[in-house]
Amino acid sequence: MLAYIIELSVKSGGLLPLMALLLLLALIIIVERLYYFSRVIQIGDAMEFAVQKVRYGDRKALQQVADQYAAAPQAVVLTTALSSRSETADAMDRHIEESMLWQLPKLDWLLWVLDTAVTLAPLLGLFGTIIGMIETFDVLGDSSNPNAVTGGIAHALIATGGGLFIAIITVVFLNYFNKRVRLAMHQMELLKTMVINRLHGGGVAGDVYSLAAVSAPRPATRSEQPQTAFT
């Protein structure tokens, strides 16, 4: 078996071991990103649920949520909002947007390797096949056995099949991870809106935690209303 693998590697010009290394690297990144995004998205959902229950104007509760999920990239939305000295919602929005953009490289970390593997693997396979076929046709004139020629072509095509196999696996997970990145950014956008509303908003109609319901002027009682003199 080992001798057969060595023979295939030689016929492909040494490209099959390189493709195997590329596949191993892609699999390592896929496993790591699967674990990473499973935690990030789960924590993001938990943060959305926690912030949704925070009363309007309750900075202490928001700080507790930020401390609880401090390791998550979505936590920068809360920490930036709570540490911001801006007096307007628009200024706070810009500060949070900046912190969110700084988290993007952490989300798409090493995804460029998978993107490269999708394109590079089929090209390496095709190049290995061409090298193998050149060697096969080179001995065509010296060989009277057609099986030797067709067998060499079949061996050379293994490189193409290997490249396509790597590309098929990689492109599936690459698209999945790109979807996870967009979902994580969407979670940050939602958290940003929720946090700004709770720090600068007055709540919504019917909300028992609304600041508007707390700070609204109390109607004057009958004894407090000004008396009108009738003549």
Side-chain angles (χ1 to χ4, degrees):
M1 182 64 179
L2 180 60
Y4 180 70
I5 295 176
I6 294 176
E7 180 185 358
L8 292 178
S9 300
V10 172
K11 288 183 178 296
S12 64
L15 292 179
L16 278 182
L18 180 60
M19 294 169 59
L21 180 62
L22 182 63
L23 176 60
L24 178 61
L25 180 60
L27 290 177
I28 293 175
I29 296 174
I30 287 172
V31 172
E32 190 276 335
R33 290 287 90 182
L34 281 174
Y35 175 75
Y36 175 79
F37 281 114
S38 65
R39 288 177 52 84
V40 166
I41 301 302
Q42 183 179 3
I43 292 176
D45 292 337
M47 289 184 64
E48 291 175 359
F49 181 74
V51 174
Q52 189 177 18
K53 296 190 299 182
V54 173
R55 294 179 296 179
Y56 283 81
D58 193 348
R59 298 179 65 93
K60 183 178 180 180
L62 289 176
Q63 186 64 55
Q64 292 176 351
V65 176
D67 294 339
Q68 182 179 358
Y69 302 102
Q74 295 94 328
V76 298
V77 175
L78 276 68
T79 55
T80 303
L82 293 171
S83 61
S84 176
R85 299 179 180 178
S86 59
E87 297 181 355
T88 64
D90 291 338
M92 180 177 290
D93 182 276
R94 292 192 296 270
H95 292 164
I96 297 176
E97 193 71 25
E98 178 183 354
S99 66
M100 289 169 51
L101 293 178
W102 280 106
Q103 298 300 313
L104 186 58
K106 297 180 181 180
L107 296 175
D108 63 1
W109 182 67
L110 290 182
L111 293 187
W112 67 269
V113 177
L114 300 183
D115 194 8
T116 303
V118 171
T119 305
L120 183 60
L123 294 178
L124 288 176
L126 180 61
F127 187 42
T129 298
I130 292 175
I131 294 176
M133 293 187 69
I134 289 175
E135 295 180 355
T136 300
F137 285 113
D138 185 50
V139 299
L140 180 61
D142 301 331
S143 176
S144 59
N145 185 9
N147 292 330
V149 177
T150 56
I153 295 175
H155 291 166
L157 290 175
I158 292 179
T160 300
L164 293 176
F165 176 75
I166 297 174
I168 291 172
I169 293 179
T170 308
V171 74
V172 171
F173 285 99
L174 178 62
N175 291 335
Y176 174 77
F177 293 143
N178 287 332
K179 177 65 176 180
R180 298 291 96 181
V181 171
R182 292 193 297 269
L183 180 56
M185 294 301 295
H186 173 73
Q187 288 179 337
M188 291 186 187
E189 289 286 348
L190 179 57
L191 286 171
K192 179 185 70 172
T193 303
M194 295 170 68
V195 170
I196 292 177
N197 285 340
R198 276 150 183 79
L199 294 179
H200 289 276
V204 294
D207 190 350
V208 296
Y209 299 129
S210 172
L211 287 181
V214 177
S215 60
R218 178 175 57 88
T221 61
R222 179 179 296 274
S223 60
E224 295 174 342
Q225 292 179 351
Q227 300 296 325
T228 303
F230 293 94
T231 56

mmCIF file of all heavy atoms in Angstrom, residues 75-96:
data_model
loop_
_atom_site.group_PDB
_atom_site.id
_atom_site.type_symbol
_atom_site.label_atom_id
_atom_site.label_comp_id
_atom_site.label_asym_id
_atom_site.label_seq_id
_atom_site.Cartn_x
_atom_site.Cartn_y
_atom_site.Cartn_z
ATOM 1 N N ALA A 75 -19.919 40.726 23.489
ATOM 2 C CA ALA A 75 -19.912 41.503 24.728
ATOM 3 C C ALA A 75 -19.372 42.911 24.532
ATOM 4 O O ALA A 75 -19.650 43.799 25.342
ATOM 5 C CB ALA A 75 -19.096 40.780 25.795
ATOM 6 N N VAL A 76 -18.614 43.127 23.439
ATOM 7 C CA VAL A 76 -18.067 44.471 23.218
ATOM 8 C C VAL A 76 -19.180 45.479 22.975
ATOM 9 O O VAL A 76 -18.995 46.675 23.207
ATOM 10 C CB VAL A 76 -17.083 44.474 22.038
ATOM 11 C CG1 VAL A 76 -15.903 43.570 22.312
ATOM 12 C CG2 VAL A 76 -17.766 44.067 20.740
ATOM 13 N N VAL A 77 -20.326 45.011 22.519
ATOM 14 C CA VAL A 77 -21.449 45.920 22.306
ATOM 15 C C VAL A 77 -21.875 46.533 23.636
ATOM 16 O O VAL A 77 -22.079 47.751 23.754
ATOM 17 C CB VAL A 77 -22.623 45.178 21.644
ATOM 18 C CG1 VAL A 77 -23.836 46.092 21.520
ATOM 19 C CG2 VAL A 77 -22.221 44.651 20.274
ATOM 20 N N LEU A 78 -21.987 45.698 24.665
ATOM 21 C CA LEU A 78 -22.416 46.182 25.968
ATOM 22 C C LEU A 78 -21.319 46.991 26.646
ATOM 23 O O LEU A 78 -21.583 48.057 27.208
ATOM 24 C CB LEU A 78 -22.838 45.014 26.859
ATOM 25 C CG LEU A 78 -24.274 44.493 26.701
ATOM 26 C CD1 LEU A 78 -24.467 43.812 25.350
ATOM 27 C CD2 LEU A 78 -24.628 43.525 27.818
ATOM 28 N N THR A 79 -20.093 46.489 26.619
ATOM 29 C CA THR A 79 -19.007 47.186 27.299
ATOM 30 C C THR A 79 -18.739 48.557 26.668
ATOM 31 O O THR A 79 -18.469 49.533 27.378
ATOM 32 C CB THR A 79 -17.734 46.340 27.266
ATOM 33 O OG1 THR A 79 -17.404 46.001 25.906
ATOM 34 C CG2 THR A 79 -17.922 45.057 28.059
ATOM 35 N N THR A 80 -18.812 48.637 25.347
ATOM 36 C CA THR A 80 -18.607 49.924 24.678
ATOM 37 C C THR A 80 -19.727 50.896 25.012
ATOM 38 O O THR A 80 -19.484 52.081 25.259
ATOM 39 C CB THR A 80 -18.525 49.726 23.158
ATOM 40 O OG1 THR A 80 -17.472 48.810 22.849
ATOM 41 C CG2 THR A 80 -18.267 51.044 22.451
ATOM 42 N N ALA A 81 -20.956 50.413 25.022
ATOM 43 C CA ALA A 81 -22.090 51.291 25.343
ATOM 44 C C ALA A 81 -22.012 51.798 26.770
ATOM 45 O O ALA A 81 -22.284 52.976 27.041
ATOM 46 C CB ALA A 81 -23.397 50.540 25.112
ATOM 47 N N LEU A 82 -21.619 50.937 27.698
ATOM 48 C CA LEU A 82 -21.573 51.336 29.104
ATOM 49 C C LEU A 82 -20.394 52.252 29.402
ATOM 50 O O LEU A 82 -20.463 53.069 30.324
ATOM 51 C CB LEU A 82 -21.512 50.092 29.991
ATOM 52 C CG LEU A 82 -22.766 49.215 29.980
ATOM 53 C CD1 LEU A 82 -22.521 47.909 30.724
ATOM 54 C CD2 LEU A 82 -23.947 49.953 30.584
ATOM 55 N N SER A 83 -19.313 52.114 28.655
ATOM 56 C CA SER A 83 -18.138 52.964 28.873
ATOM 57 C C SER A 83 -18.152 54.216 28.017
ATOM 58 O O SER A 83 -17.288 55.082 28.170
ATOM 59 C CB SER A 83 -16.859 52.170 28.592
ATOM 60 O OG SER A 83 -16.825 51.732 27.244
ATOM 61 N N SER A 84 -19.099 54.316 27.101
ATOM 62 C CA SER A 84 -19.162 55.476 26.216
ATOM 63 C C SER A 84 -19.588 56.708 26.989
ATOM 64 O O SER A 84 -20.484 56.661 27.833
ATOM 65 C CB SER A 84 -20.139 55.216 25.059
ATOM 66 O OG SER A 84 -20.269 56.358 24.253
ATOM 67 N N ARG A 85 -18.952 57.837 26.701
ATOM 68 C CA ARG A 85 -19.296 59.109 27.332
ATOM 69 C C ARG A 85 -20.218 59.957 26.461
ATOM 70 O O ARG A 85 -20.450 61.119 26.752
ATOM 71 C CB ARG A 85 -18.028 59.908 27.637
ATOM 72 C CG ARG A 85 -17.073 59.205 28.602
ATOM 73 C CD ARG A 85 -15.841 60.043 28.843
ATOM 74 N NE ARG A 85 -14.926 59.388 29.771
ATOM 75 C CZ ARG A 85 -13.740 59.889 30.134
ATOM 76 N NH1 ARG A 85 -13.341 61.052 29.620
ATOM 77 N NH2 ARG A 85 -12.969 59.224 30.977
ATOM 78 N N SER A 86 -20.710 59.347 25.408
ATOM 79 C CA SER A 86 -21.563 60.100 24.493
ATOM 80 C C SER A 86 -22.883 60.438 25.165
ATOM 81 O O SER A 86 -23.416 59.672 25.957
ATOM 82 C CB SER A 86 -21.816 59.281 23.227
ATOM 83 O OG SER A 86 -22.432 58.052 23.554
ATOM 84 N N GLU A 87 -23.413 61.580 24.810
ATOM 85 C CA GLU A 87 -24.673 62.029 25.379
ATOM 86 C C GLU A 87 -25.840 61.780 24.442
ATOM 87 O O GLU A 87 -26.987 62.008 24.827
ATOM 88 C CB GLU A 87 -24.586 63.517 25.717
ATOM 89 C CG GLU A 87 -23.532 63.832 26.774
ATOM 90 C CD GLU A 87 -23.487 65.311 27.090
ATOM 91 O OE1 GLU A 87 -24.210 66.071 26.408
ATOM 92 O OE2 GLU A 87 -22.740 65.708 27.994
ATOM 93 N N THR A 88 -25.561 61.343 23.242
ATOM 94 C CA THR A 88 -26.623 61.095 22.269
ATOM 95 C C THR A 88 -26.585 59.643 21.817
ATOM 96 O O THR A 88 -25.536 58.977 21.868
ATOM 97 C CB THR A 88 -26.484 62.017 21.046
ATOM 98 O OG1 THR A 88 -25.262 61.715 20.369
ATOM 99 C CG2 THR A 88 -26.483 63.482 21.472
ATOM 100 N N ALA A 89 -27.730 59.176 21.347
ATOM 101 C CA ALA A 89 -27.810 57.801 20.856
ATOM 102 C C ALA A 89 -27.003 57.624 19.575
ATOM 103 O O ALA A 89 -26.408 56.561 19.354
ATOM 104 C CB ALA A 89 -29.272 57.430 20.625
ATOM 105 N N ASP A 90 -26.942 58.647 18.722
ATOM 106 C CA ASP A 90 -26.185 58.547 17.472
ATOM 107 C C ASP A 90 -24.689 58.400 17.739
ATOM 108 O O ASP A 90 -24.005 57.614 17.070
ATOM 109 C CB ASP A 90 -26.438 59.775 16.601
ATOM 110 C CG ASP A 90 -27.858 59.819 16.053
ATOM 111 O OD1 ASP A 90 -28.484 58.742 15.985
ATOM 112 O OD2 ASP A 90 -28.324 60.920 15.709
ATOM 113 N N ALA A 91 -24.172 59.151 18.710
ATOM 114 C CA ALA A 91 -22.749 59.042 19.034
ATOM 115 C C ALA A 91 -22.426 57.671 19.615
ATOM 116 O O ALA A 91 -21.409 57.055 19.281
ATOM 117 C CB ALA A 91 -22.353 60.136 20.013
ATOM 118 N N MET A 92 -23.299 57.160 20.464
ATOM 119 C CA MET A 92 -23.089 55.827 21.015
ATOM 120 C C MET A 92 -23.158 54.775 19.926
ATOM 121 O O MET A 92 -22.396 53.795 19.938
ATOM 122 C CB MET A 92 -24.136 55.534 22.096
ATOM 123 C CG MET A 92 -23.992 54.160 22.734
ATOM 124 S SD MET A 92 -25.184 53.869 24.060
ATOM 125 C CE MET A 92 -24.541 54.996 25.306
ATOM 126 N N ASP A 93 -24.036 54.947 18.968
ATOM 127 C CA ASP A 93 -24.147 54.018 17.849
ATOM 128 C C ASP A 93 -22.839 53.941 17.077
ATOM 129 O O ASP A 93 -22.391 52.853 16.700
ATOM 130 C CB ASP A 93 -25.297 54.456 16.943
ATOM 131 C CG ASP A 93 -25.507 53.516 15.766
ATOM 132 O OD1 ASP A 93 -24.804 53.674 14.748
ATOM 133 O OD2 ASP A 93 -26.367 52.626 15.864
ATOM 134 N N ARG A 94 -22.192 55.078 16.852
ATOM 135 C CA ARG A 94 -20.929 55.094 16.113
ATOM 136 C C ARG A 94 -19.818 54.409 16.905
ATOM 137 O O ARG A 94 -18.997 53.687 16.344
ATOM 138 C CB ARG A 94 -20.534 56.529 15.769
ATOM 139 C CG ARG A 94 -21.459 57.198 14.757
ATOM 140 C CD ARG A 94 -20.850 58.490 14.245
ATOM 141 N NE ARG A 94 -20.700 59.472 15.318
ATOM 142 C CZ ARG A 94 -21.633 60.362 15.645
ATOM 143 N NH1 ARG A 94 -22.789 60.390 14.985
ATOM 144 N NH2 ARG A 94 -21.416 61.219 16.609
ATOM 145 N N HIS A 95 -19.791 54.625 18.214
ATOM 146 C CA HIS A 95 -18.776 53.970 19.038
ATOM 147 C C HIS A 95 -18.952 52.450 19.026
ATOM 148 O O HIS A 95 -17.972 51.697 18.921
ATOM 149 C CB HIS A 95 -18.870 54.487 20.470
ATOM 150 C CG HIS A 95 -18.477 55.916 20.609
ATOM 151 N ND1 HIS A 95 -18.774 56.678 21.721
ATOM 152 C CD2 HIS A 95 -17.811 56.756 19.763
ATOM 153 C CE1 HIS A 95 -18.305 57.899 21.566
ATOM 154 N NE2 HIS A 95 -17.716 57.970 20.386
ATOM 155 N N ILE A 96 -20.183 51.998 19.145
ATOM 156 C CA ILE A 96 -20.436 50.556 19.138
ATOM 157 C C ILE A 96 -20.108 49.960 17.777
ATOM 158 O O ILE A 96 -19.555 48.860 17.678
ATOM 159 C CB ILE A 96 -21.894 50.271 19.525
ATOM 160 C CG1 ILE A 96 -22.178 50.750 20.951
ATOM 161 C CG2 ILE A 96 -22.206 48.789 19.410
ATOM 162 C CD1 ILE A 96 -23.625 50.590 21.373
#
